[in-house]
Amino acid sequence: AQSVTQLGSHVSVSEGALVLLRCNYSSSVPPYLFWYVQYPNQGLQLLLKYTTGATLVKGINGFEAEFKKSETSFHLTKPSAHMSDAAEYFCAVSRPPGGSARQLTFGSGTQLTVLP
Amino acid sequence: DGGITQSPKYLFRKEGQNVTLSCEQNLNHDAMYWYRQDPGQGLRLIYYSQIVNDFQKGDIAEGYSVSREKKESFPLTVTSAQKNPTAFYLCASSISRGRFTGELFFGEGSRLTVL
């Protein structure tokens, strides 16, 4: 069984401030981890993913996330928020390859607001 | 450009009516999925299909039906048996089973409101 917990359903930051969105997971096997972003009234798009190898992964739009096995975390960060970052962000966990999205579990999402 | 097209974007339905949401992809992906999104609940899998003429129930299949007659198309019917159908519905696709990397490609969604 696997699960994802996103701490904070709403996060507000000022433009130019650090963005930190928290994600903790549970998995009985080494996980694959993902962050997706959803802009208003649109579908989701992949922001970044961790599969194996380097634990710090970089994604699009200046975001990055670090896989910390000891803390079972995969927090998403961006050094300086931009107004265009306002969106909902979803963390997801999957079992290693060979399966399908049937094994993909999404968190409940974090709505990011960027204040001018 | 390759992608997933969902239609209609907005749909209103009276109670007791069935409605069908369209999903078409030109990414040549074998696998397609339907998710339901409600505020604060993330995405929940309704049905998925890994190959033409085959599909499987997800976590919340009751009150929904699908078909997969063509690789490009995976329509979802919301039947009158679905007790709370008002939601945002997302169609997605991925490369085939066995090579799944976790990346889903999503359409822009269909918002269904029951009056």
Side-chain angles (χ1 to χ4, degrees):
Chain A
Q2 59 193 28
S3 65
V4 178
T5 302
Q6 291 185 240
L7 299 176
S9 58
H10 292 84
V11 171
S12 294
V13 300
S14 297
E15 190 173 19
L18 171 72
V19 175
L20 171 60
L21 305 182
R22 300 177 186 273
C23 173
N24 289 88
Y25 70 91
S26 67
S27 177
S28 57
V29 297
Y32 280 18
L33 295 159
F34 311 86
W35 277 99
Y36 281 83
V37 61
Q38 183 180 32
Y39 298 101
N41 294 313
Q42 293 188 23
L44 282 69
Q45 65 181 92
L46 184 66
L47 201 55
L48 51 79
K49 65 181 179 183
Y50 167 79
T51 54
T52 58
T55 56
L56 181 64
V57 293
K58 296 184 184 298
I60 60 174
N61 301 334
F63 284 92
E64 62 182 35
E66 186 171 12
F67 169 57
K68 292 187 175 181
K69 183 179 178 180
S70 62
E71 299 177 9
T72 61
S73 69
F74 191 58
H75 302 331
L76 182 70
T77 61
K78 182 174 181 178
S80 177
H82 191 273
M83 297 297 289
S84 62
D85 294 328
E88 189 156 23
Y89 293 80
F90 292 90
C91 184
V93 61
S94 176
R95 292 201 291 270
S100 73
R102 185 65 183 93
Q103 284 83 38
L104 190 64
T105 302
F106 286 91
S108 56
T110 297
Q111 182 68 48
L112 176 66
T113 299
V114 181
L115 305 171
Chain B
D1 286 338
I4 298 180
T5 301
Q6 289 187 239
S7 63
K9 193 169 180 66
Y10 298 95
L11 184 62
F12 297 88
R13 184 193 97 174
K14 293 181 179 179
E15 284 190 15
Q17 289 182 335
N18 292 354
V19 294
T20 297
L21 308 180
S22 170
C23 178
E24 304 278 333
Q25 56 102 356
N26 60 4
L27 298 168
N28 200 33
H29 286 168
D30 290 310
M32 297 186 74
Y33 313 85
W34 275 104
Y35 286 91
R36 171 177 171 143
Q37 185 177 19
D38 296 282
Q41 296 193 44
L43 276 70
R44 294 182 290 170
L45 184 63
I46 304 172
Y47 268 98
Y48 64 105
S49 169
Q50 306 217 67
I51 195 169
V52 174
N53 293 322
D54 185 58
F55 50 83
Q56 307 295 328
K57 292 182 178 180
D59 299 317
I60 57 164
E62 185 176 351
Y64 300 98
S65 66
V66 294
S67 63
R68 187 84 187 277
E69 297 177 0
K70 298 186 301 182
K71 185 176 184 178
E72 301 79 18
S73 179
F74 191 41
L76 172 74
T77 297
V78 184
T79 75
S80 57
Q82 170 50 234
K83 299 303 181 186
N84 185 22
T86 295
F88 191 52
Y89 292 88
L90 287 163
C91 180
S93 70
S94 72
I95 59 174
S96 63
R97 184 175 186 177
R99 295 185 291 129
F100 180 65
T101 62
E103 182 166 10
L104 293 175
F105 295 80
F106 284 86
E108 293 202 341
S110 293
R111 187 169 298 280
L112 172 63
T113 303
V114 175
L115 304 174

